[in-house]
Amino acid sequence: MAIYCGIAYRRKSFWCYRLLSTYVTKMRYLFELKEDDDACKKALQTGAFYLFHNLSPMLQKSEPQYLVPKYSLLELERLLGKLGQNTQRIEDSVLIGCSEQHDAWFALDIGLNHSSSINASLQKPEMETELRGSFMDLRKAFLQLNAKDVSLLSTAQALLRWHDAHQFCSRSGQPTKKNVAGSKRICPANNIIYYPQIHVNLQELEAAAWFSHEEVATALRRNDSYTLQQNITPPLRLPPKFAIAHQLIKEWVENPACPSLPA
C-alpha cells in the first residue's frame, strides 16, 4: 500500500508540475504577443478569430448547445472581400488568449465603427446568412454554452467594449490608436498610454475584496435561502446562477490550478 501511495503521489506531483509549466509558458507567450507588435502580427497569420457584431458573439445552433465558430485569417479575408469590405478591418481585432500549442485567439467586432476602420459597419442580417449562424446576446445564450466558451467570450466582449469606449484621448481629444494585440491604446498627440482597468475603480464599485478558493467554494455550496431565513449575513454572496459572473466563478472553483506543490 505504501509503495502504491508513493507512486500515485509522484504521478500527481508530475502532472501538477507539468500543468504549472504549461500555464507559465502560455502566459509568457501571451505577454510577448501583447508587448511585441511584430510577434503579434506573425501570430495573426496563423491565429483563429471569434466574430462579434455590436458586442454579440457569432453562435451556431447545435442541439442541445450553441457552438462558437472560429475562423482562420484566410477565411476572414475571403468573407470580408465577399461582402465588399477591406481586409484592413482585421487590424481592429484584439488578442484574447491562445491554445496550449500557442495558436493565438483573436476577437473582431464587425458591427462597431472604430476610428481605424475605413468602412462602415457590416449589416447583421447579411453576415448571419453568410456565416450560417446568429449574433446573440451573450447573457441570453450562456446557459447553452460550455464554461470555457463563456469565459473566453466574456473576456473578448469586455475587451472589445473597452476599446469601443476609449476611441479618443481624455486629455487631448485626439483619436487613440491600439497596439496590434489590443492590450493598450496610445494617444499619438501626447503619448499617453491607456490600459484596460487591471485595479478597482471606486467610482464604479462600492467595495472590493480578495477571497480564498475555499471561501468561494463554501459560498457556492451554501444554501442561500436557508441563510436568509436564519437572518444570517453570509461573508460572501455570489451572483445568481443565471448570471455570467456566477458561471465564471464556478469554473474557477471546479478547475483551479494545482493548489499545492511538494517541497
Side-chain angles (χ1 to χ4, degrees):
M1 177 62 72
I3 295 177
Y4 175 79
C5 290
I7 293 174
Y9 178 79
R10 285 194 294 272
R11 285 180 177 175
K12 181 180 179 181
S13 299
F14 169 78
W15 286 111
C16 281
Y17 277 121
R18 183 172 181 179
L19 177 63
L20 182 61
S21 176
T22 300
Y23 176 81
V24 170
T25 302
K26 183 177 176 180
M27 291 301 104
R28 285 176 176 170
Y29 177 64
L30 287 174
F31 180 79
E32 178 188 4
L33 296 187
K34 291 177 180 179
E35 297 299 319
D36 188 330
D37 282 352
D38 290 334
C40 195
K41 287 178 181 178
K42 185 177 179 180
L44 275 167
Q45 303 302 312
T46 56
F49 295 81
Y50 293 83
L51 295 184
F52 286 71
H53 191 285
N54 289 325
L55 301 178
S56 294
M58 163 55 61
L59 303 176
Q60 294 175 336
K61 188 65 176 178
S62 177
E63 296 294 346
Q65 290 188 313
Y66 285 108
L67 297 179
V68 186
K70 294 184 291 187
Y71 304 90
S72 68
L73 178 63
L74 182 59
E75 290 174 324
L76 192 52
E77 289 176 335
R78 287 176 177 172
L79 174 66
L80 293 175
K82 188 172 182 179
L83 295 171
Q85 296 289 308
N86 194 298
T87 56
Q88 185 178 344
R89 189 180 194 90
I90 297 174
E91 295 178 5
D92 287 328
S93 6
V94 296
L95 177 70
I96 57 173
C98 72
S99 69
E100 293 184 356
Q101 293 72 37
H102 290 185
D103 296 318
W105 299 329
F106 298 87
L108 174 63
D109 197 308
I110 50 184
L112 296 175
N113 281 322
H114 290 168
S115 58
S116 60
S117 298
I118 62 175
N119 299 100
S121 62
L122 293 170
Q123 296 300 311
K124 183 177 177 181
E126 63 180 324
M127 290 298 300
E128 291 179 327
T129 300
E130 187 65 32
L131 296 173
R132 299 179 181 179
S134 301
F135 290 104
M136 297 190 62
D137 188 323
L138 185 56
R139 292 171 297 180
K140 297 179 179 178
F142 79 90
L143 288 177
Q144 292 175 281
L145 292 167
N146 64 52
K148 289 184 178 180
D149 284 337
V150 169
S151 177
L152 191 64
L153 293 179
S154 298
T155 297
Q157 186 187 67
L159 191 54
L160 289 169
R161 180 182 287 111
W162 181 83
H163 279 282
D164 186 52
H166 291 78
Q167 296 291 302
F168 297 90
C169 176
S170 60
R171 180 171 298 179
S172 70
Q174 297 299 310
T176 56
K177 183 178 180 180
K178 79 174 187 66
N179 64 338
V180 177
S183 58
K184 58 187 175 183
R185 297 191 73 89
I186 304 172
C187 175
N190 51 31
N191 292 323
I192 292 179
I193 300 177
Y194 295 91
Y195 295 95
Q197 284 184 352
I198 309 188
H199 62 276
V200 177
N201 186 333
L202 296 179
Q203 293 181 340
E204 296 180 358
L205 300 177
E206 293 182 0
W210 291 99
F211 295 94
S212 69
H213 182 274
E214 181 56 34
E215 287 175 314
V216 179
T218 300
L220 278 174
R221 294 192 297 265
R222 184 184 297 115
N223 186 329
D224 283 342
S225 61
Y226 175 81
T227 300
L228 292 176
Q229 290 173 4
Q230 298 299 314
N231 295 319
I232 300 174
T233 302
L236 174 61
R237 290 286 303 278
L238 298 182
K241 292 183 178 180
F242 55 79
I244 293 177
H246 183 98
Q247 300 301 316
L248 295 178
I249 293 171
K250 184 178 179 181
E251 180 191 3
W252 177 75
V253 169
E254 295 179 349
N255 300 283
C258 184
S260 61
L261 295 174

